[in-house]
Amino acid sequence: MRYTEYHDGVAVIKDKSLLPGAMEKLAKIEDMTEIPQICCDEYCKYPGRCRSQDETDQICDRCKLAELFDLLLSSDEEN
């Protein structure tokens, strides 16, 4: 379920009665700080194929999960 919508480019709660569910979902997402390490270390197919750290870094920069990982890690760093 999506709890938010955008008004003039700003995310807002669709309905104030949905706020408790939205807060619970946000808390669960913020608790997922270990997900980037698990995905990269256990599921990424590239580390074994790359010959150098630079090559690995280039692949990581293009990873479609990078934006999600940045969000998860930035919420952890703020606390």
Side-chain angles (χ1 to χ4, degrees):
M1 168 184 238
R2 185 169 178 106
Y3 295 95
T4 59
E5 59 190 12
Y6 288 95
H7 289 277
D8 296 323
V10 177
V12 296
I13 299 292
K14 286 183 184 180
D15 180 337
K16 289 186 183 196
S17 68
L18 299 175
L19 187 58
M23 294 304 292
E24 182 179 348
K25 188 174 186 178
L26 175 60
K28 287 178 182 178
I29 291 169
E30 287 179 334
D31 290 340
M32 295 178 160
T33 57
E34 73 282 354
I35 295 299
Q37 182 177 354
I38 291 170
C39 288
C40 293
D41 291 350
E42 296 182 24
Y43 298 104
C44 182
K45 64 183 178 180
Y46 293 103
R49 297 180 184 184
C50 296
R51 295 186 180 143
S52 70
Q53 185 63 43
D54 287 338
E55 189 176 359
T56 301
D57 290 343
Q58 289 173 3
I59 289 168
C60 293
D61 288 342
R62 293 189 314 268
C63 178
K64 292 182 180 181
L65 293 173
E67 185 176 345
L68 173 63
F69 294 165
D70 288 343
L71 288 171
L72 291 172
L73 295 173
S74 68
S75 68
D76 188 43
E77 291 171 0
E78 292 172 4
N79 294 323

PDB file of all heavy atoms in Angstrom, residues 38-57:
ATOM      1  N   ILE A  38      24.270  -7.283   2.749  1.00  0.00           N
ATOM      2  CA  ILE A  38      23.802  -8.636   2.417  1.00  0.00           C
ATOM      3  C   ILE A  38      23.671  -8.788   0.908  1.00  0.00           C
ATOM      4  O   ILE A  38      24.153  -9.762   0.323  1.00  0.00           O
ATOM      5  CB  ILE A  38      22.464  -8.934   3.111  1.00  0.00           C
ATOM      6  CG1 ILE A  38      22.668  -9.046   4.624  1.00  0.00           C
ATOM      7  CG2 ILE A  38      21.832 -10.206   2.552  1.00  0.00           C
ATOM      8  CD1 ILE A  38      21.378  -9.101   5.419  1.00  0.00           C
ATOM      9  N   CYS A  39      23.026  -7.820   0.258  1.00  0.00           N
ATOM     10  CA  CYS A  39      22.837  -7.910  -1.199  1.00  0.00           C
ATOM     11  C   CYS A  39      24.164  -7.907  -1.935  1.00  0.00           C
ATOM     12  O   CYS A  39      24.377  -8.705  -2.849  1.00  0.00           O
ATOM     13  CB  CYS A  39      21.976  -6.755  -1.690  1.00  0.00           C
ATOM     14  SG  CYS A  39      20.246  -6.895  -1.223  1.00  0.00           S
ATOM     15  N   CYS A  40      25.044  -7.001  -1.540  1.00  0.00           N
ATOM     16  CA  CYS A  40      26.330  -6.890  -2.241  1.00  0.00           C
ATOM     17  C   CYS A  40      27.222  -8.101  -1.990  1.00  0.00           C
ATOM     18  O   CYS A  40      27.817  -8.637  -2.913  1.00  0.00           O
ATOM     19  CB  CYS A  40      27.039  -5.612  -1.834  1.00  0.00           C
ATOM     20  SG  CYS A  40      26.200  -4.118  -2.399  1.00  0.00           S
ATOM     21  N   ASP A  41      27.298  -8.533  -0.747  1.00  0.00           N
ATOM     22  CA  ASP A  41      28.210  -9.616  -0.406  1.00  0.00           C
ATOM     23  C   ASP A  41      27.694 -10.992  -0.815  1.00  0.00           C
ATOM     24  O   ASP A  41      28.475 -11.860  -1.202  1.00  0.00           O
ATOM     25  CB  ASP A  41      28.488  -9.628   1.103  1.00  0.00           C
ATOM     26  CG  ASP A  41      29.309  -8.440   1.552  1.00  0.00           C
ATOM     27  OD1 ASP A  41      29.828  -7.709   0.681  1.00  0.00           O
ATOM     28  OD2 ASP A  41      29.431  -8.236   2.769  1.00  0.00           O
ATOM     29  N   GLU A  42      26.387 -11.213  -0.730  1.00  0.00           N
ATOM     30  CA  GLU A  42      25.858 -12.556  -0.945  1.00  0.00           C
ATOM     31  C   GLU A  42      25.163 -12.765  -2.283  1.00  0.00           C
ATOM     32  O   GLU A  42      25.044 -13.889  -2.736  1.00  0.00           O
ATOM     33  CB  GLU A  42      24.901 -12.906   0.197  1.00  0.00           C
ATOM     34  CG  GLU A  42      25.615 -12.965   1.543  1.00  0.00           C
ATOM     35  CD  GLU A  42      24.692 -13.354   2.691  1.00  0.00           C
ATOM     36  OE1 GLU A  42      23.657 -13.997   2.437  1.00  0.00           O
ATOM     37  OE2 GLU A  42      25.025 -13.001   3.830  1.00  0.00           O
ATOM     38  N   TYR A  43      24.696 -11.685  -2.922  1.00  0.00           N
ATOM     39  CA  TYR A  43      23.895 -11.873  -4.121  1.00  0.00           C
ATOM     40  C   TYR A  43      24.453 -11.221  -5.384  1.00  0.00           C
ATOM     41  O   TYR A  43      24.042 -11.563  -6.476  1.00  0.00           O
ATOM     42  CB  TYR A  43      22.465 -11.367  -3.887  1.00  0.00           C
ATOM     43  CG  TYR A  43      21.763 -12.130  -2.793  1.00  0.00           C
ATOM     44  CD1 TYR A  43      21.587 -11.571  -1.533  1.00  0.00           C
ATOM     45  CD2 TYR A  43      21.311 -13.419  -3.013  1.00  0.00           C
ATOM     46  CE1 TYR A  43      20.957 -12.276  -0.530  1.00  0.00           C
ATOM     47  CE2 TYR A  43      20.683 -14.135  -2.009  1.00  0.00           C
ATOM     48  CZ  TYR A  43      20.505 -13.555  -0.765  1.00  0.00           C
ATOM     49  OH  TYR A  43      19.890 -14.256   0.227  1.00  0.00           O
ATOM     50  N   CYS A  44      25.368 -10.296  -5.235  1.00  0.00           N
ATOM     51  CA  CYS A  44      25.924  -9.629  -6.421  1.00  0.00           C
ATOM     52  C   CYS A  44      26.774 -10.626  -7.210  1.00  0.00           C
ATOM     53  O   CYS A  44      27.601 -11.338  -6.649  1.00  0.00           O
ATOM     54  CB  CYS A  44      26.767  -8.422  -6.016  1.00  0.00           C
ATOM     55  SG  CYS A  44      27.427  -7.529  -7.450  1.00  0.00           S
ATOM     56  N   LYS A  45      26.576 -10.651  -8.526  1.00  0.00           N
ATOM     57  CA  LYS A  45      27.312 -11.598  -9.358  1.00  0.00           C
ATOM     58  C   LYS A  45      28.647 -11.055  -9.843  1.00  0.00           C
ATOM     59  O   LYS A  45      29.432 -11.776 -10.433  1.00  0.00           O
ATOM     60  CB  LYS A  45      26.465 -12.003 -10.562  1.00  0.00           C
ATOM     61  CG  LYS A  45      26.148 -10.867 -11.501  1.00  0.00           C
ATOM     62  CD  LYS A  45      25.255 -11.333 -12.633  1.00  0.00           C
ATOM     63  CE  LYS A  45      24.909 -10.184 -13.551  1.00  0.00           C
ATOM     64  NZ  LYS A  45      24.042 -10.608 -14.646  1.00  0.00           N
ATOM     65  N   TYR A  46      28.933  -9.794  -9.586  1.00  0.00           N
ATOM     66  CA  TYR A  46      30.125  -9.179 -10.157  1.00  0.00           C
ATOM     67  C   TYR A  46      31.413  -9.288  -9.353  1.00  0.00           C
ATOM     68  O   TYR A  46      32.474  -9.323  -9.961  1.00  0.00           O
ATOM     69  CB  TYR A  46      29.852  -7.705 -10.481  1.00  0.00           C
ATOM     70  CG  TYR A  46      28.843  -7.560 -11.584  1.00  0.00           C
ATOM     71  CD1 TYR A  46      27.539  -7.202 -11.302  1.00  0.00           C
ATOM     72  CD2 TYR A  46      29.189  -7.808 -12.902  1.00  0.00           C
ATOM     73  CE1 TYR A  46      26.601  -7.081 -12.313  1.00  0.00           C
ATOM     74  CE2 TYR A  46      28.269  -7.705 -13.922  1.00  0.00           C
ATOM     75  CZ  TYR A  46      26.970  -7.341 -13.618  1.00  0.00           C
ATOM     76  OH  TYR A  46      26.053  -7.238 -14.617  1.00  0.00           O
ATOM     77  N   PRO A  47      31.407  -9.310  -8.031  1.00  0.00           N
ATOM     78  CA  PRO A  47      32.706  -9.303  -7.328  1.00  0.00           C
ATOM     79  C   PRO A  47      33.664 -10.399  -7.770  1.00  0.00           C
ATOM     80  O   PRO A  47      34.845 -10.157  -7.918  1.00  0.00           O
ATOM     81  CB  PRO A  47      32.323  -9.463  -5.857  1.00  0.00           C
ATOM     82  CG  PRO A  47      30.967  -8.872  -5.780  1.00  0.00           C
ATOM     83  CD  PRO A  47      30.308  -9.220  -7.092  1.00  0.00           C
ATOM     84  N   GLY A  48      33.170 -11.588  -8.035  1.00  0.00           N
ATOM     85  CA  GLY A  48      34.032 -12.671  -8.479  1.00  0.00           C
ATOM     86  C   GLY A  48      34.514 -12.513  -9.908  1.00  0.00           C
ATOM     87  O   GLY A  48      35.469 -13.154 -10.327  1.00  0.00           O
ATOM     88  N   ARG A  49      33.862 -11.656 -10.676  1.00  0.00           N
ATOM     89  CA  ARG A  49      34.201 -11.465 -12.086  1.00  0.00           C
ATOM     90  C   ARG A  49      35.109 -10.267 -12.317  1.00  0.00           C
ATOM     91  O   ARG A  49      35.660 -10.124 -13.406  1.00  0.00           O
ATOM     92  CB  ARG A  49      32.921 -11.265 -12.898  1.00  0.00           C
ATOM     93  CG  ARG A  49      32.015 -12.463 -12.879  1.00  0.00           C
ATOM     94  CD  ARG A  49      30.789 -12.179 -13.697  1.00  0.00           C
ATOM     95  NE  ARG A  49      29.849 -13.286 -13.613  1.00  0.00           N
ATOM     96  CZ  ARG A  49      28.723 -13.357 -14.271  1.00  0.00           C
ATOM     97  NH1 ARG A  49      28.372 -12.379 -15.072  1.00  0.00           N
ATOM     98  NH2 ARG A  49      27.928 -14.395 -14.136  1.00  0.00           N
ATOM     99  N   CYS A  50      35.213  -9.385 -11.355  1.00  0.00           N
ATOM    100  CA  CYS A  50      36.003  -8.162 -11.522  1.00  0.00           C
ATOM    101  C   CYS A  50      37.458  -8.420 -11.164  1.00  0.00           C
ATOM    102  O   CYS A  50      37.761  -9.136 -10.225  1.00  0.00           O
ATOM    103  CB  CYS A  50      35.453  -7.041 -10.646  1.00  0.00           C
ATOM    104  SG  CYS A  50      33.791  -6.554 -11.118  1.00  0.00           S
ATOM    105  N   ARG A  51      38.324  -7.780 -11.903  1.00  0.00           N
ATOM    106  CA  ARG A  51      39.763  -7.959 -11.661  1.00  0.00           C
ATOM    107  C   ARG A  51      40.319  -6.899 -10.733  1.00  0.00           C
ATOM    108  O   ARG A  51      41.377  -7.081 -10.161  1.00  0.00           O
ATOM    109  CB  ARG A  51      40.496  -7.918 -12.990  1.00  0.00           C
ATOM    110  CG  ARG A  51      40.123  -9.079 -13.864  1.00  0.00           C
ATOM    111  CD  ARG A  51      40.961  -9.109 -15.114  1.00  0.00           C
ATOM    112  NE  ARG A  51      40.543 -10.248 -15.906  1.00  0.00           N
ATOM    113  CZ  ARG A  51      40.482 -10.259 -17.218  1.00  0.00           C
ATOM    114  NH1 ARG A  51      40.842  -9.196 -17.897  1.00  0.00           N
ATOM    115  NH2 ARG A  51      40.078 -11.319 -17.861  1.00  0.00           N
ATOM    116  N   SER A  52      39.617  -5.769 -10.606  1.00  0.00           N
ATOM    117  CA  SER A  52      40.148  -4.688  -9.772  1.00  0.00           C
ATOM    118  C   SER A  52      39.022  -4.032  -8.988  1.00  0.00           C
ATOM    119  O   SER A  52      37.847  -4.137  -9.345  1.00  0.00           O
ATOM    120  CB  SER A  52      40.836  -3.637 -10.634  1.00  0.00           C
ATOM    121  OG  SER A  52      39.879  -2.933 -11.392  1.00  0.00           O
ATOM    122  N   GLN A  53      39.401  -3.319  -7.932  1.00  0.00           N
ATOM    123  CA  GLN A  53      38.423  -2.585  -7.133  1.00  0.00           C
ATOM    124  C   GLN A  53      37.786  -1.476  -7.960  1.00  0.00           C
ATOM    125  O   GLN A  53      36.602  -1.193  -7.821  1.00  0.00           O
ATOM    126  CB  GLN A  53      39.078  -2.012  -5.872  1.00  0.00           C
ATOM    127  CG  GLN A  53      38.087  -1.345  -4.935  1.00  0.00           C
ATOM    128  CD  GLN A  53      37.055  -2.303  -4.385  1.00  0.00           C
ATOM    129  OE1 GLN A  53      37.380  -3.422  -3.995  1.00  0.00           O
ATOM    130  NE2 GLN A  53      35.807  -1.887  -4.374  1.00  0.00           N
ATOM    131  N   ASP A  54      38.558  -0.856  -8.855  1.00  0.00           N
ATOM    132  CA  ASP A  54      38.013   0.207  -9.709  1.00  0.00           C
ATOM    133  C   ASP A  54      36.892  -0.334 -10.591  1.00  0.00           C
ATOM    134  O   ASP A  54      35.867   0.317 -10.772  1.00  0.00           O
ATOM    135  CB  ASP A  54      39.100   0.821 -10.583  1.00  0.00           C
ATOM    136  CG  ASP A  54      40.062   1.696  -9.802  1.00  0.00           C
ATOM    137  OD1 ASP A  54      39.678   2.161  -8.705  1.00  0.00           O
ATOM    138  OD2 ASP A  54      41.194   1.922 -10.279  1.00  0.00           O
ATOM    139  N   GLU A  55      37.097  -1.509 -11.135  1.00  0.00           N
ATOM    140  CA  GLU A  55      36.073  -2.134 -11.977  1.00  0.00           C
ATOM    141  C   GLU A  55      34.822  -2.428 -11.151  1.00  0.00           C
ATOM    142  O   GLU A  55      33.705  -2.186 -11.599  1.00  0.00           O
ATOM    143  CB  GLU A  55      36.630  -3.414 -12.600  1.00  0.00           C
ATOM    144  CG  GLU A  55      35.752  -4.022 -13.652  1.00  0.00           C
ATOM    145  CD  GLU A  55      36.391  -5.244 -14.300  1.00  0.00           C
ATOM    146  OE1 GLU A  55      37.526  -5.625 -13.945  1.00  0.00           O
ATOM    147  OE2 GLU A  55      35.738  -5.829 -15.167  1.00  0.00           O
ATOM    148  N   THR A  56      35.008  -2.931  -9.941  1.00  0.00           N
ATOM    149  CA  THR A  56      33.880  -3.207  -9.048  1.00  0.00           C
ATOM    150  C   THR A  56      33.146  -1.910  -8.718  1.00  0.00           C
ATOM    151  O   THR A  56      31.918  -1.865  -8.745  1.00  0.00           O
ATOM    152  CB  THR A  56      34.362  -3.881  -7.752  1.00  0.00           C
ATOM    153  OG1 THR A  56      35.037  -5.097  -8.086  1.00  0.00           O
ATOM    154  CG2 THR A  56      33.197  -4.200  -6.824  1.00  0.00           C
ATOM    155  N   ASP A  57      33.880  -0.852  -8.401  1.00  0.00           N
ATOM    156  CA  ASP A  57      33.271   0.429  -8.060  1.00  0.00           C
ATOM    157  C   ASP A  57      32.438   0.980  -9.211  1.00  0.00           C
ATOM    158  O   ASP A  57      31.362   1.550  -8.996  1.00  0.00           O
ATOM    159  CB  ASP A  57      34.332   1.449  -7.652  1.00  0.00           C
ATOM    160  CG  ASP A  57      34.967   1.125  -6.310  1.00  0.00           C
ATOM    161  OD1 ASP A  57      34.385   0.320  -5.546  1.00  0.00           O
ATOM    162  OD2 ASP A  57      36.051   1.678  -6.033  1.00  0.00           O
TER     163      ASP A  57
END
